[in-house]
Amino acid sequence: MDHNGDPSVPRAAFRKFLEQLSGAGKAIGVLTSGGDAQGMNAAVRAVVRMGIYTGAKVYFIYEGYQGMVDGGNNIVEANWESVSSILQVGGTIIGSARCKAFRTREGRLKAAHNLVQLGITNLCVIGGDGSLTGANIFRGEWSTLLEELARDGKISKEDVQKHGHLNIVGMVGSIDNDFCGTDMTIGTDSALHRIIEVVDAIMTTAQSHQRTFVLEVMGRHCGYLALVSALACGADWVFLPESPPEEGWQETMCIKLSENRARKKRLNIIIVSEGAIDTQNKPITSEQIKELVVKQLGYDTRVTILGHVQRGGTPSAFDRILASRMGVEAVVALLQATPETPACVVSLNGNQAVRLPLMECVQMTQGVQKAMDERRFSNAVQLRGRSFEGNLNIYKQLAIKKPDSQITKSGFNVAVINVGAPAAGMNAAVRSAVRVGISEGHKMFAVYDGFEGFARGQIKEIGWSDVGGWTGQGGSILGTKRILPGKYLEDIAAQMRTHSINALLIIGGFEGYLGLLELSAAREKHEEFCVPMVMVPATVSNNVPGSDFSIGADTALNTITDTCDRIKQSASGTKRRVFIIETMGGYCGYLANMGALAAGADAAYIFEEPFDIRDLQSNVEHLTEKMKTCIQRGLVVRNENCNENYTTDFIYQLYSEEGKGVFDCRKNVLGHMQQGGAPSPFDRNFGTKISARAMQWITGKLKEAQGKGRKFVNDDSVCVLGICQRNLLFQPVAELKEKTDFEHRIPKEQWWLKLRPLMKILAKYKASYEVSDMSQLEHVHTGPEEPAAI
């Protein structure tokens, strides 16, 4: 046991990790450039701490490339405390500026001189494609710049030899999500939070007055924010630069708006990307749209331009975790780089961190713009990536109801049910399933109050407009219970017979998974259960086997992070105070671990990583040391079931006793506030997409067997649909049984445990971080498998 660091890391492993990844004698410069984005500070913090951790010197380069050109006080060595308390701050503390001088060779010559004087030959650039392209040009010219500096006598020949090569790693910080090759750029999720907060607020006032609202969101050349927010709030119409409306859209849109009003919808929301254009590349403005609606329909219409609100505010939990992972990965990439490695970008693919060649990504990103300029719009959508294309197709399917005459009736009845505890995003999933089912010709049935309601016959047909406005609602409108079907099998089979149910979609947590296993086991006895059954995971605990993420976990994580931010603020005010916070999750430590990473906690106690009294003691010592620095506060997160004897009270009392005279303690149990609240943009979007995919699978299964009269008895007709690493996968429950720890209701293997060392390193514990699976550069993916991007 390594008592002065993380007990789970033997000394030898830690030493090997530092040998593999030594930063001794190296200097890293970190800068933020271009437009700011929430989460940039989290990335800066991770770069600084991981760099110092490996023994490298890390320098802040203030005001982007301008600071690099001006030198002097703009390039300053950072220490561990320099990045304390910045995780929850939006924008960038080291400043960002547009820089004309860096575009000239003279400017880059000055920048090279300033860097060489401090021995900085590793640069971590956080910015958009312009900033990253600039960095790549700089890297290409580096050796000739140094030769020129030596000729002018500004640096010595030894300097040229010693610093002859510049390594560059990029991280994309941009709220527009306009960079090809990465699923999410730093800041995008937070910008969506700002947009959705505004949309939710506008919806209540619009309902009161039966108004139409035109909302303009950012995205000069990229419609991602507009598209995803339209998907997340169920907007009536959306305008994107990549996919302009067809000729005659004015009339089509007005018909659509008046049809929605006729369906008793009291408001219309139209979302416009600031770069929206028509097929002739002429701009479509929000004012134009307003005038059109007022003139044609006479509706009371208002325009709201969100502007810079979208860049502001505190970063979401997703952005903090993304930026922390990318920052650590960027340092690893810099330390592993050789003169032969091309400049790379660290990016996200599904939930995997990957490295991609920088210029390949930049060229693809520029390719999208070129396609738009040349009016090859379908090409532009394809180049944006599979997740953008998927979002667009699902939006079209859910927003615009085809006339009944155009829908071929399938003759199938499909039931949707919520099982387990409520999770934010369940309603978005139900809405999506109902609308996709109807558009594919099925009759959709809603089951109320879980399996118990099913047995009692609380089941009725549900229509297109019945689920209008559901995406933003928290909890479960259908009602949900933890009761399993086991004791109601006869009654449920009878109800399925009565309503001729041909397929079942379960949206729920671990109980939903257990329920699916019970229904599957009862197939021999009850032929009514010989139908396609699929489950979409929805639980704050994120403990369903077969998926890396579940609906509701992101919302819960944001609640935990927001609360921790407030608590940290109160602790900084009082000084020398340690807070112990208990999270939900059953035996699954996902919320505690990821909450700790997003909130910058000092320790997280979870069931998956056993701990004893010596570990608690070493954490107390660690906090005692911390109180001697200028950061005089502590945050400790504990999962509710991490240990039956070391309860929250026990840990609180132990810390209070051991910390006497050094710090005092407070405890806080977060409880059910983690299950409530409006769903986050991620959960709305994830629920919508995964549920639509589940319905498409059901349709496929039913069509396959049509007219053959055969029953569904194979394992592959009872599945869990989930994200696994980078892909959406349907996995038979029979296969998942092997991978489940039923006693503790968790999967036997959980991907996020790999991120444990990351949290410990950023909190200054000794831990070894797995670097082996990441050192290879990949190429930008456009493969056939289903993308897991949200």
Side-chain angles (χ1 to χ4, degrees):
M1 178 162 295
D2 181 2
H3 59 269
N4 63 349
D6 168 22
S8 62
V9 181
R11 282 214 169 90
F14 178 62
R15 215 173 293 122
K16 182 173 176 234
F17 160 69
L18 281 184
E19 278 163 17
Q20 258 186 321
L21 208 69
S22 170
K26 294 184 177 175
I28 298 172
V30 58
L31 70 146
T32 51
S33 171
D36 67 316
Q38 308 94 321
M40 279 184 165
N41 286 329
V44 169
R45 170 181 178 266
V47 170
V48 169
R49 291 195 168 173
M50 185 65 176
I52 292 172
Y53 190 80
T54 58
K57 276 186 170 180
V58 186
Y59 290 86
F60 284 150
I61 300 173
Y62 287 101
E63 312 306 337
Y65 289 119
Q66 191 63 54
M68 203 191 289
V69 173
D70 297 345
N73 292 342
N74 290 303
I75 307 177
V76 178
E77 190 175 348
N79 62 24
W80 195 272
E81 281 82 35
S82 327
V83 289
S84 170
S85 302
I86 67 169
L87 192 57
Q88 63 272 27
V89 180
T92 160
I93 59 152
I94 54 176
S96 176
R98 313 258 176 211
C99 175
K100 285 201 178 117
F102 194 75
R103 293 183 178 174
T104 65
R105 187 168 164 98
E106 297 83 83
R108 292 193 289 274
L109 196 64
K110 280 184 191 165
H113 185 216
N114 292 328
L115 294 183
V116 169
Q117 282 176 314
L118 294 166
I120 301 172
T121 54
N122 295 284
L123 274 190
C124 179
V125 182
I126 308 165
D129 59 341
S131 315
L132 299 180
T133 310
N136 200 51
I137 293 170
F138 190 40
R139 177 179 178 269
E141 290 179 347
W142 183 256
S143 51
T144 60
L145 291 170
L146 294 201
E147 280 160 17
E148 193 174 323
L149 288 168
R151 272 203 308 276
D152 298 349
K154 287 185 179 163
I155 59 172
S156 66
K157 284 273 191 292
E158 290 77 62
D159 285 336
V160 178
Q161 297 268 256
K162 196 175 164 194
H163 306 300
H165 181 72
L166 180 70
N167 293 318
I168 282 186
V169 172
M171 277 186 268
V172 191
S174 151
I175 65 166
D176 296 342
N177 203 20
D178 54 358
F179 195 77
C180 292
T182 176
D183 289 344
M184 284 292 255
T185 56
I186 296 166
T188 305
D189 188 65
S190 302
L192 286 171
H193 272 260
R194 295 301 91 80
I195 295 170
I196 293 302
E197 282 157 16
V198 171
V199 173
D200 285 353
I202 278 177
M203 277 185 156
T204 53
T205 161
Q207 290 234 276
S208 312
H209 298 277
Q210 298 204 27
R211 285 200 171 120
T212 294
F213 268 87
V214 181
L215 257 96
E216 186 180 304
V217 301
M218 280 185 164
R220 251 199 322 257
H221 307 294
C222 176
Y224 183 88
L225 289 178
L227 175 56
V228 173
S229 43
L231 201 55
C233 73
D236 297 84
W237 199 271
V238 64
F239 290 92
L240 314 169
E242 295 89 343
S243 178
E246 290 164 11
E247 294 294 323
W249 60 268
Q250 292 89 337
E251 196 182 335
T252 319
M253 183 182 81
C254 290
I255 292 169
K256 166 88 198 320
L257 296 181
S258 53
E259 273 176 6
N260 279 356
R261 283 289 170 97
R263 288 197 195 104
K264 304 275 189 296
K265 191 175 178 185
R266 290 178 61 88
L267 76 158
N268 303 111
I269 300 269
I270 298 165
I271 294 187
V272 190
S273 184
E274 64 176 329
I277 47 176
D278 63 15
T279 46
Q280 301 309 306
N281 279 18
K282 289 197 179 66
I284 297 177
T285 65
S286 30
E287 276 303 324
Q288 249 174 294
I289 297 163
K290 175 191 164 171
E291 282 162 23
L292 174 73
V293 175
V294 171
K295 195 171 137 205
Q296 298 283 331
L297 301 168
Y299 291 166
D300 183 0
T301 306
R302 303 292 155 102
V303 172
T304 300
I305 296 173
L306 266 66
H308 281 73
V309 165
Q310 295 160 84
R311 282 194 193 279
T314 178
S316 65
F318 182 94
D319 273 331
R320 297 181 197 196
I321 293 166
L322 170 69
S324 301
R325 288 179 70 182
M326 300 296 114
V328 167
E329 195 47 57
V331 172
V332 174
L334 281 172
L335 297 183
Q336 288 179 339
T338 64
E340 286 68 53
T341 348
C344 76
V345 184
V346 289
S347 105
L348 189 71
N349 193 334
N351 71 9
Q352 302 283 96
V354 292
R355 296 181 199 168
L356 302 165
L358 186 139
M359 284 324 286
E360 206 174 293
C361 296
V362 168
Q363 278 152 6
M364 254 182 101
T365 306
Q366 289 165 351
V368 179
Q369 191 53 49
K370 192 164 180 280
M372 279 153 57
D373 295 341
E374 292 168 6
R375 310 219 298 256
R376 292 181 283 115
F377 294 110
S378 60
N379 207 343
V381 169
Q382 269 175 344
L383 286 169
R384 272 273 176 252
R386 297 163 308 172
S387 90
F388 188 90
E389 208 173 349
N391 280 329
L392 186 57
N393 294 335
I394 287 175
Y395 173 75
K396 285 176 182 166
Q397 198 172 8
L398 297 179
I400 300 165
K401 184 181 190 300
K402 289 187 205 150
D404 290 340
S405 56
Q406 282 180 30
I407 298 174
T408 319
K409 294 279 174 278
S410 68
F412 292 121
N413 296 347
V414 180
V416 182
I417 183 171
N418 285 167
V419 180
M426 276 183 162
N427 299 321
V430 173
R431 167 186 177 267
S432 166
V434 167
R435 291 198 169 176
V436 170
I438 290 170
S439 71
E440 292 185 343
H442 311 318
K443 241 190 198 178
M444 297 302 295
F445 286 83
V447 179
Y448 294 85
D449 296 335
F451 287 120
E452 192 182 3
F454 206 163
R456 289 191 186 147
Q458 289 170 265
I459 173 169
K460 61 171 199 249
E461 192 180 341
I462 186 165
W464 185 276
S465 42
D466 296 334
V467 291
W470 278 28
T471 36
Q473 308 278 334
S476 159
I477 297 172
L478 294 184
T480 179
K481 290 206 164 151
R482 290 176 179 269
I483 293 165
L484 295 174
K487 54 180 179 185
Y488 300 113
L489 291 170
E490 295 281 338
D491 300 338
I492 293 174
Q495 290 297 334
M496 286 185 72
R497 212 171 30 251
T498 309
H499 295 94
S500 323
I501 300 298
N502 304 102
L504 181 63
L505 169 62
I506 297 174
I507 298 165
F510 203 85
E511 284 84 4
Y513 169 67
L514 293 175
L516 200 54
L517 282 166
E518 287 182 7
L519 294 178
S520 164
R523 276 179 161 183
E524 285 178 17
K525 243 177 130 182
H526 304 279
E527 62 169 13
E528 292 81 1
F529 300 139
C530 297
V531 297
M533 295 190 269
V534 63
M535 172 185 163
V536 167
T539 163
V540 297
S541 306
N542 196 24
N543 62 339
V544 177
S547 188
D548 293 347
F549 293 106
S550 44
I551 299 165
D554 183 71
T555 306
L557 210 49
N558 277 295
T559 306
I560 293 167
T561 310
D562 291 347
T563 313
C564 288
D565 286 353
R566 293 179 183 201
I567 285 171
K568 270 170 79 172
Q569 202 169 31
S570 113
S572 325
T574 34
K575 297 273 188 296
R576 298 179 176 276
R577 181 164 282 177
V578 174
F579 272 89
I580 291 150
I581 293 173
E582 181 187 301
T583 66
M584 285 178 132
Y587 286 97
C588 176
Y590 178 81
L591 289 180
N593 188 65
M594 301 308 252
L597 186 56
D602 296 284
Y605 299 118
I606 59 172
F607 168 76
E608 291 88 347
E609 193 174 276
F611 57 96
D612 61 21
I613 194 74
R614 283 168 298 187
D615 305 333
L616 292 170
Q617 184 59 39
S618 100
N619 291 142
V620 172
E621 285 163 16
H622 188 265
L623 282 165
T624 310
E625 283 304 304
K626 187 178 176 183
M627 295 297 160
K628 293 176 187 167
T629 68
C630 58
I631 319 168
Q632 298 184 344
R633 55 169 168 69
L635 188 67
V636 174
V637 184
R638 178 189 175 273
N639 158 265
E640 57 184 354
N641 288 351
C642 64
N643 187 303
E644 58 180 330
N645 295 315
Y646 299 142
T647 60
T648 302
D649 285 335
F650 176 90
I651 292 177
Y652 163 69
Q653 284 159 351
L654 178 85
Y655 272 61
S656 301
E657 181 58 36
E658 295 292 317
K660 256 190 192 154
V662 184
F663 56 80
D664 66 350
C665 254
R666 293 287 183 274
K667 63 174 192 241
N668 201 331
V669 177
L670 298 185
H672 280 75
M673 62 189 278
Q674 295 163 86
Q675 280 182 0
S680 66
F682 181 96
D683 279 332
R684 295 179 193 200
N685 201 8
F686 179 40
T688 299
K689 288 183 75 168
I690 197 167
S691 189
R693 185 63 196 91
M695 279 309 299
Q696 289 162 354
W697 177 85
I698 285 176
T699 303
K701 285 277 179 215
L702 291 172
K703 279 197 175 145
E704 233 171 76
Q706 212 164 8
K708 295 180 187 160
R710 66 181 176 81
K711 292 265 177 271
F712 291 89
V713 288
N714 294 350
D715 287 347
D716 69 355
S717 60
V718 191
C719 286
V720 172
L721 168 59
I723 287 188
C724 294
Q725 293 191 335
R726 302 182 185 182
N727 302 315
L728 274 174
L729 289 185
F730 289 91
Q731 296 181 74
V733 282
E735 289 172 19
L736 290 173
K737 256 184 172 155
E738 307 302 307
K739 300 176 181 175
T740 310
D741 170 354
F742 285 99
E743 187 192 343
H744 299 107
R745 300 159 56 93
I746 52 175
K748 285 179 185 169
E749 278 185 20
Q750 302 185 81
W751 70 275
W752 52 266
L753 283 167
K754 282 212 307 224
L755 302 185
R756 281 287 284 172
L758 198 82
M759 188 210 97
K760 293 173 182 171
I761 288 171
L762 297 177
K764 217 172 186 174
Y765 282 96
K766 291 180 177 167
S768 66
Y769 180 61
E770 240 182 85
V771 288
S772 52
D773 59 343
M774 269 300 314
S775 50
Q776 261 23 69
L777 265 186
E778 301 201 4
H779 291 286
V780 182
H781 265 306
T782 44
E785 68 283 341
E786 288 201 45
I790 315 301

